[in-house]
Amino acid sequence: MRLNKQIIALADECARKVGYFCASYLGRKDDEFIFATRYADSMERTEGLPALVIVRNMQARFVMDIESFTYLNDLKFRDYKRGRAIYCEFEQKYDQDDFANKEEREYISSIVENQRSDHESAVNKGTLYDYLEIAERFNMKLKLKAEKWHMAGKDVLEYYLELKKYKHEGYKKHKRGV
């Protein structure tokens, strides 16, 4: 069996039942599809053991115990090709100043400028690609949020992503299949 919309929907539903926004596909081991749980933002949290959703035979279950490491051990993680492609599209639009409207300009510019900044506080690329895929899947966009920390006598901004609905109907991207 291949990864499909029904398997993803089962994983999302399982993740929602235990308080997460959705599940994000990590990879496959034999006949089991392994998903990580995701909140509606990428803010770092200390929860203990990895929270996973395992789908096998069209049944989803939540795992957050020592068994989580069994699933993660030797798992070949996917590389978020679609998220990387979305970001490349953003860079191209940004570089060519080719935006459909003001909302699109502000949205794309904030993401690209965060990644191109000289600051150490840019959002991790893997996290960005993952959340770009999630945003596309749910027809949402990302908003950069800053959290201020005081370290070594100076304030440091750390950025994270938050999923948001679009303000204008005209900018919604057409959903793509799996």
Side-chain angles (χ1 to χ4, degrees), residues 68-105:
S68 299
F69 293 111
T70 304
Y71 286 104
L72 295 175
N73 190 31
D74 298 326
L75 181 68
K76 183 183 177 209
F77 290 91
R78 68 188 189 92
D79 65 358
Y80 302 105
K81 282 187 226 175
R82 181 63 197 138
R84 185 184 324 271
I86 294 167
Y87 180 71
C88 286
E89 290 171 22
F90 283 9
E91 282 191 309
Q92 190 173 34
K93 284 179 173 265
Y94 182 85
D95 290 341
Q96 295 174 359
D97 195 25
D98 180 27
F99 303 103
N101 56 39
K102 184 179 176 185
E103 182 181 2
E104 184 182 59
R105 175 187 304 280

Side-chain angles (χ1 to χ4, degrees), residues 40-65:
D41 64 60
S42 68
M43 187 184 304
E44 292 290 324
R45 292 171 174 83
T46 304
E47 296 185 318
L49 297 169
L52 303 175
V53 174
I54 312 302
V55 178
R56 180 180 185 183
N57 296 328
M58 298 307 286
Q59 298 288 322
R61 67 186 177 91
F62 178 71
V63 176
M64 190 176 177
D65 57 24

Side-chain angles (χ1 to χ4, degrees), residues 106-121:
E106 289 171 3
Y107 172 49
I108 290 174
S109 295
S110 69
I111 300 292
V112 173
E113 288 169 2
N114 174 265
Q115 290 298 299
R116 291 184 176 179
S117 70
D118 293 335
H119 305 286
E120 295 175 14
S121 60

Side-chain angles (χ1 to χ4, degrees), residues 11-12 22-27 34-38 78 80 130 133-134 137:
D12 285 339
C22 70
S24 179
Y25 181 65
L26 293 178
I34 317 301
F35 293 82
T37 55
R38 295 290 184 252
R78 68 188 189 92
Y80 302 105
D130 186 16
E133 289 181 9
I134 292 168
R137 185 158 49 106

Side-chain angles (χ1 to χ4, degrees), residues 11 28 62 85 90 102 114 117-118 124 132 134 142-144 158 165-166 172 176:
R28 184 175 178 173
F62 178 71
F90 283 9
K102 184 179 176 185
N114 174 265
S117 70
D118 293 335
N124 170 280
L132 283 169
I134 292 168
L142 301 174
K143 180 174 181 161
L144 276 168
E158 185 173 299
K165 292 183 179 180
Y166 285 100
K172 288 184 179 182
R176 296 175 190 230

